[in-house]
Amino acid sequence: MKVLIAFTILFLTLNGNAFARNKILDIQEVKSPNGISAWLVEDHSVPVIALKFSFKGAGSSLDPANKQGLARMVSNTMDEGAGNLSSQEFQKELRDLVISLNFGSNRDNFSGNLKTLSKNKTRAFELLELSLTQPRFDKEPVDRMRKANQSRIRSSLSDPNWIAARFLNDIAFAGHPYAQNSGGTLSSLENISPEDLKLFHRSYLGKNNLSVAVAGDITAKDLETVLDKIFGKLAEISIPPTSNLKLQNQGKSFIYKYDIPQTIIEIMQPGIDRKDPDYQIAQVMNFILGSSGFGSRLTETIREKRGLTYGIYTYFYNMEYLDTLALSTSTKNENTAEMLSLIKTEWDKIKSEPVTDKELKNAKAYLIGSLPLSLTSTDKIAGLLLSLQQDDLPIDYLMQRETKIRATTKEEIQELAKSLLNEDQFTTILIGQPEGINNAKLLEIIPNVE
Amino acid sequence: MTSTTPIFHSLKSLSYVFIFIIAFGLFYNSPAYADKVFNAQSYTLENGMDIVVIPNHRAPVVTHMVWYRVGAADESQGLSGIAHFLEHLMFKGSPVIGGDDLKPGELSKIVSSLGGRDNAFTGQDYTAYYQSIATKHLETVMRMEAGRMENINPPPEHVLSERDVIREERRQRTDNDPHALFNEELATAIYPNHPYGVPVIGWADEMEVLSWDDTKAFYDMWYAPNNATLIISGDVTGNQVYELAQKIYGQIQKHELPPRNRTSHPPKTKKQFPIKYEHKSIRQPLVKKAYKVPSFHQNKYDALALQIIEEIIGNGSTSRLYKSLVIEQKIASESGLYYNCKRLDKTSLWVYASPLPDIELEVIENALDLELKKLIENGVTAEELSDAKSRMQNKAIYARDSLTAPAMIIGSSLAAGLNLNDIEYWPDDISKVTAAQIQNVAKRYLDPEKNTPVTGYLLPKKPENEKQPEQKVMEEPEQEVME
């Protein structure tokens, strides 16, 4: 379906023909009679509809310290029985109609995903409406999900990457609700009752913090009616604000001794807001530095030239109250010090000299040209639409993004690198038996697990 | 599981697509399932290279894949990991058909600079390479892919540094992770005399000494157009692809291929004790049990019945195992059954469960056994069967909602010895499986009296100072060991 993506023109523009062009993705803004709005990309080439939504602010940062895992438990149990359907009846109907319905939560938001064949859409929308407005939170599924979460935590305790993430959150976000364990702790999960789940559902999932994104085999007109049916009964709610956060423990390194042949390395430093005018410059810089895998400076220096790792990546990790730039990698224990020093060298290099013309050209070509590959399924399209809305970005964001990427210069990248990148601000977590590391604080107990 | 999941060239991969395919059955079907599933077009070049084209005009992009019929199970003894090592070295310098030679790493960089993505992966029976990119760059990637089918010439220092990379890959995937080590241990027990018991990534000590000469010999032996299938999904037509492939891949000479001799699967004749794998990092125990069963390639009709067994017994929160162990008996937090039918040789069917605290693993094992016993004795109900068939046929439509998944499904199926009709008419075949057939298959393969399973317990290892006080036990007479 060529109308979906104006891809040919996009490439012409890349090649220098200044074509006027309106859209990369034909996004419609749909508003229901009762005022529920959604972004829609219609595509009737496959009989599938993907509907994704989120409730802003209704994330795990609202979890009380003694009830960590509350938002997660709500997301685990909202599809476990609703209205007059028990957990098994509800799940069986989803399964027999091949409807995928699930809920999720992160630090900032509560979200949901519905995917259905268009032939089953009527019942799919009804089941979603039921789970949103009349979730049962019966004792049996609540107990079962509590145990499943406890089992997941125990199981994760043999995963060094999970342990590294647990320490990183605890240390980099110290003193803020973000430091908590959003998946709950073995004991906090015991404190969560069906009443808590009902209260969370009633208090935080409202009409006024809702964003909706839809892609696939549905028309704008149909969607208008559907929106009211699904979301029309939600109440107006208000969410208590959380405080802003500065990245904690900058310039400090921490080691958790763990008996594995590698050291897992997690580094975080301050990042940049997605709405910052320089955000696209930062994306180009990060592509060259470490986000792109093969071709990125970190992969070239550390994997391709020296064989020190299987993977090294940098990425912007943006949350409501904090923006960060993070790096993840691993290497055998005896190489840890060399690895850390090479990372710092690359940080320094991209600040002290401009990137090459070739690096800049390739980064732009990929960042602009690969977008269509991210739009090859209804799921991916709906996911992109939702993320734009969650970050309050404009409906023509993809166009603006492309224009800004194309205009980015070497000088701008170097300027931004100088102001953004700072190896003295690294919060560094090492899990393993790293050799040659001085001045690191030893960690004893994995926080917020027991 | 480690032995059935392919290993990717780099971390940012489409491995989730693979998980999807393995978890949700082999294929998908079209709404009117009497029709062919994909309407894929197939061709063969004069040099023996097979071509499959799956037109999909949703967006002006393509996925271009080449699957070689060679994998880790074709390695010689002592050279474990060489198929995967070769896959890495395929990125380290090669000629281009009608273009300049590529330097190490250059192929991926060119793909990226054209807005595309590339990767590769190795399994027991296949090795595959792919790029997803704007249709107008198809010829460019084809010229590069064909070039590395003809020859590769990685500089010696790159061979050495890449060997370090795969060693790090093994540490990261396997040695850091007790679950992966446990799976490796179980695979050696299930396949004691067959290469499926050797991990795709290789054993650490053998990987350390892999040489360029051995790798090049492996490449020369197996990489040829008559041992490869080209699969293209996306905004192209069959004729267009055929002509382009003829022009580019058609230039490469075929050569004689060695037979794929695999060692046998000796039967286990007596009851096996569970393999207890203890690890100090483990807090959540796990029970897994594997039955050796035929793959689709070996016995299509038994495989179809086993796929339905997987759907009814072990797939999801309304499956028999989950209902029984998790919801009703409340002894486990998770339970299921999975069956990887896409293998050339005998494969395995697994049941598993994670016990809740204070539940003995023997209790879990008995509960798993009991569910299989019920299946053997009573079969499945008519309603279970018709619901399962309808789900399997419907679920599949979703896979069409993707550029790469159809190419992955067809590629991995053909690599496992299926033919295109097995794939195209799978929904029809599934609809014909009877309850009697299912019970019969359960009786033959899932009865421990007839087909001894391998059981594994993953357990916490108590630190030295917390060991139970020594108990007085009846001393057994020491066994004599003959030198």
Side-chain angles (χ1 to χ4, degrees), chain A residues 205-225:
Chain A
L205 308 188
K207 200 184 271 189
N208 53 325
N209 63 338
L210 171 72
S211 306
V212 184
V214 185
D217 189 18
I218 187 168
T219 64
K221 196 160 179 306
D222 280 353
L223 182 59
E224 281 178 19
T225 327

Side-chain angles (χ1 to χ4, degrees), chain B residues 2-3 170 174 177-192 196-199 203 268 274-279 288 290 350 454-458:
Chain B
T2 37
S3 52
R170 188 190 148 90
T174 310
D177 178 1
H179 282 92
L181 291 166
F182 176 54
N183 287 333
E184 223 172 56
E185 204 66 43
L186 293 182
T188 60
I190 300 160
Y191 306 108
Y196 289 169
V198 177
W203 299 117
K268 289 187 168 43
I275 295 166
K276 295 187 176 173
Y277 190 85
E278 295 184 348
H279 196 286
K288 295 175 87 168
W350 297 73
V454 166
T455 307
Y457 290 180
L458 180 61

Side-chain angles (χ1 to χ4, degrees), chain A residues 138-176:
Chain A
D138 288 340
K139 187 173 181 305
E140 184 278 321
V142 170
D143 283 344
R144 177 154 48 87
M145 288 302 150
R146 182 195 335 276
K147 286 173 186 163
N149 274 306
Q150 289 169 330
S151 168
R152 174 188 51 75
I153 293 168
R154 285 191 297 269
S155 192
S156 303
L157 283 167
S158 63
D159 175 359
N161 292 300
W162 186 88
I163 295 170
R166 190 80 285 289
F167 275 116
L168 181 64
N169 294 340
D170 187 71
I171 288 166
F173 312 146
H176 191 273

Side-chain angles (χ1 to χ4, degrees), chain A residues 1 7 43 88 92 95-96 98 119 144 151 259 262 291 304 310 332 362 365-366 377-378 450, chain B residues 8 12 57-58 92 117 168 176 280 283 311 315 317-318 322 327 333 387 391 394 398 401:
Chain A
M1 241 199 38
F7 185 71
D43 174 4
Q88 275 288 299
K92 179 156 190 333
R95 196 162 174 241
D96 285 347
V98 222
K119 66 179 176 184
R144 177 154 48 87
S151 168
D259 186 10
Q262 282 191 322
S291 72
E304 295 294 275
Y310 174 57
K332 70 175 167 184
N362 288 348
Y366 180 83
S377 73
T378 47
E450 298 298 337
Chain B
F8 279 80
K12 274 194 178 169
H57 304 292
R58 197 176 189 187
K92 293 295 186 178
R117 295 175 190 154
E168 290 297 340
N176 285 351
K280 60 188 172 190
R283 285 274 300 271
E311 176 67 24
N315 188 1
S317 67
T318 55
Y322 187 90
I327 298 181
S333 59
D387 285 354
R391 280 197 304 270
N394 270 317
Y398 289 120
D401 188 13

Side-chain angles (χ1 to χ4, degrees), chain B residues 54-69:
Chain B
I54 314 141
N56 166 0
H57 304 292
R58 197 176 189 187
V61 288
V62 286
T63 291
H64 166 263
M65 306 187 103
V66 171
W67 292 72
Y68 292 96
R69 288 182 283 274

Side-chain angles (χ1 to χ4, degrees), chain A residues 93-165:
Chain A
E93 201 167 349
L94 289 178
R95 196 162 174 241
D96 285 347
L97 295 174
V98 222
I99 297 165
S100 149
L101 169 63
N102 52 66
F103 297 91
S105 65
N106 61 20
R107 291 188 177 81
D108 297 317
N109 306 310
F110 190 90
S111 61
N113 295 300
L114 175 76
K115 194 158 87 162
T116 182
L117 301 176
S118 20
K119 66 179 176 184
N120 296 330
K121 67 182 173 189
T122 309
R123 189 57 182 155
F125 295 147
E126 282 169 9
L127 290 170
L128 169 58
E129 189 267 330
L130 267 185
S131 65
L132 269 174
T133 57
Q134 302 175 52
R136 287 166 52 141
F137 301 120
D138 288 340
K139 187 173 181 305
E140 184 278 321
V142 170
D143 283 344
R144 177 154 48 87
M145 288 302 150
R146 182 195 335 276
K147 286 173 186 163
N149 274 306
Q150 289 169 330
S151 168
R152 174 188 51 75
I153 293 168
R154 285 191 297 269
S155 192
S156 303
L157 283 167
S158 63
D159 175 359
N161 292 300
W162 186 88
I163 295 170

Side-chain angles (χ1 to χ4, degrees), chain A residues 295-399:
Chain A
S296 78
R297 289 180 173 188
L298 286 166
T299 296
E300 288 301 304
T301 313
I302 292 170
R303 170 170 163 161
E304 295 294 275
K305 286 213 181 78
R306 292 182 176 79
L308 291 175
T309 188
Y310 174 57
I312 179 162
Y313 291 96
T314 53
Y315 51 96
F316 289 111
Y317 185 52
N318 293 10
M319 295 164 282
E320 187 67 23
Y321 300 104
L322 180 68
D323 299 301
T324 69
L325 173 61
L327 178 150
S328 291
T329 188
S330 62
T331 189
K332 70 175 167 184
N333 288 315
E334 45 272 48
N335 292 339
T336 311
E338 183 186 1
M339 182 77 129
L340 290 173
S341 142
L342 287 166
I343 292 167
K344 288 185 174 173
T345 306
E346 289 305 326
W347 240 250
D348 186 55
K349 192 178 159 203
I350 203 164
K351 289 189 287 184
S352 50
E353 51 192 83
V355 299
T356 68
D357 290 328
K358 193 175 173 192
E359 282 175 320
L360 181 62
K361 182 168 158 273
N362 288 348
K364 287 181 179 184
Y366 180 83
L367 290 169
I368 295 169
S370 66
L371 187 67
L373 294 177
S374 306
L375 304 172
T376 50
S377 73
T378 47
D379 247 357
K380 286 184 188 174
I381 295 170
L384 177 68
L385 298 187
L386 187 66
S387 88
L388 297 179
Q389 292 178 80
Q390 281 176 332
D391 288 347
D392 296 320
L393 295 165
I395 202 160
D396 65 346
Y397 174 79
L398 295 177
M399 279 297 298

